[in-house]
Amino acid sequence: MVHADPIRILSVEDHPIFREGLATIIGSQKDMVLVAQAANAVEAMAEFRLHRPDITLMDLRLPGTNGTDTLIAIRGEFPRAHIIMLTTSDGDGEIQRAMRSGASAYILKSMPKDELLNVVRSVHAGRRHIPPEVAARLAEHLGDEDLTTRELEVLRLIRDGYRNKQIAETTVNFHIKNLVDKLGANDRTHAVTIALRRGLLQI
């Protein structure tokens, strides 16, 4: 009887306790092996180049560069990389950015252990996965018009306390009106609150 090679996994997680928990879970499976761990984007890139894992479990919140930017960097060099985003955030903006950037799955850290393992096996078999609760968040804003790069810049400036005059562009009021309308907000402050909740702004 021929046994398949175990699924080789790289874990990218900056919280030691959660990282140890993942290592224990993966170590308990006969069809999986943890080949490396990383705590930030630089380590993740180095470990990926060294080990070329079958699956990477990527935390969305990393010190410095976030998980989606790290995913983009890895897939820029290794387009066939299978990366599962693992996070506490269900903001639809973050989900959309990760999936558009080539994430194979986007799952919440609150997911039961057995479901997590099933997602790893599913992605290794070539499928993509979004759990129902995450899909529901995406569906809420399906068809919404995306904010432009400039509108996101204006939102960040508002969030950081800048007034219209300080943002220093004659069309700033036009941008603010557009982004308030697109987000269904009452005013500029409400727009920032909505954008933060949806993960459209990196904190």
Side-chain angles (χ1 to χ4, degrees):
M1 185 177 173
V2 178
H3 291 281
D5 291 333
I7 303 169
R8 302 170 65 257
I9 298 170
L10 164 62
S11 168
V12 183
E13 168 63 56
D14 66 320
H15 290 99
I17 292 173
F18 196 81
R19 190 166 62 234
E20 286 172 24
L22 277 177
T24 301
I25 292 168
I26 293 166
S28 69
Q29 302 303 299
K30 292 180 179 177
D31 61 340
M32 299 180 190
V33 60
L34 186 66
V35 294
Q37 299 183 70
N40 56 51
V42 174
E43 289 178 11
M45 201 78 216
E47 295 296 346
F48 196 100
R49 288 185 183 123
L50 184 62
H51 296 281
R52 310 288 176 92
D54 300 314
I55 299 288
T56 299
L57 292 172
M58 179 79 68
D59 185 12
L60 182 71
R61 303 260 185 248
L62 292 173
T65 305
N66 72 27
T68 302
D69 289 333
T70 309
L71 173 149
I72 292 167
I74 289 174
R75 283 182 55 85
E77 202 169 313
F78 303 96
R80 295 169 66 87
H82 294 300
I83 299 175
I84 297 172
M85 302 304 292
L86 194 57
T87 179
T88 55
S89 172
D90 63 354
D92 69 288
E94 292 174 330
I95 302 166
Q96 285 186 27
R97 183 165 180 257
M99 298 307 287
R100 285 174 181 168
S101 301
S104 297
Y106 191 106
I107 58 179
L108 301 178
K109 287 183 175 181
S110 55
M111 173 179 276
K113 177 186 75 171
D114 290 343
E115 287 183 35
L116 167 65
L117 294 170
N118 286 336
V119 171
V120 170
R121 293 182 182 106
S122 177
V123 168
H124 185 246
R127 292 183 285 274
R128 296 183 91 193
H129 181 87
I130 302 179
E133 65 272 24
V134 173
R137 285 305 304 272
L138 278 177
E140 279 178 36
H141 301 284
L142 207 60
D144 286 4
E145 194 177 351
D146 288 346
L147 297 181
T148 66
T149 303
R150 180 57 186 157
E151 285 165 354
L152 285 170
E153 285 173 6
V154 171
L155 258 183
R156 287 188 192 99
L157 291 169
I158 294 170
R159 175 198 65 190
D160 295 339
Y162 288 82
R163 292 271 170 235
N164 291 13
K165 288 178 183 176
Q166 292 174 290
I167 298 173
E169 186 182 311
T170 55
T171 57
V172 68
N173 287 322
F174 167 79
H175 288 302
I176 291 173
K177 181 185 182 304
N178 273 357
L179 63 88
V180 165
D181 288 345
K182 285 181 182 179
L183 292 171
N186 300 324
D187 53 33
R188 48 188 268 164
T189 305
H190 188 213
V192 171
T193 304
I194 292 170
L196 285 171
R197 190 185 71 236
R198 289 181 53 190
L200 298 172
L201 293 174
Q202 299 298 323
I203 297 173

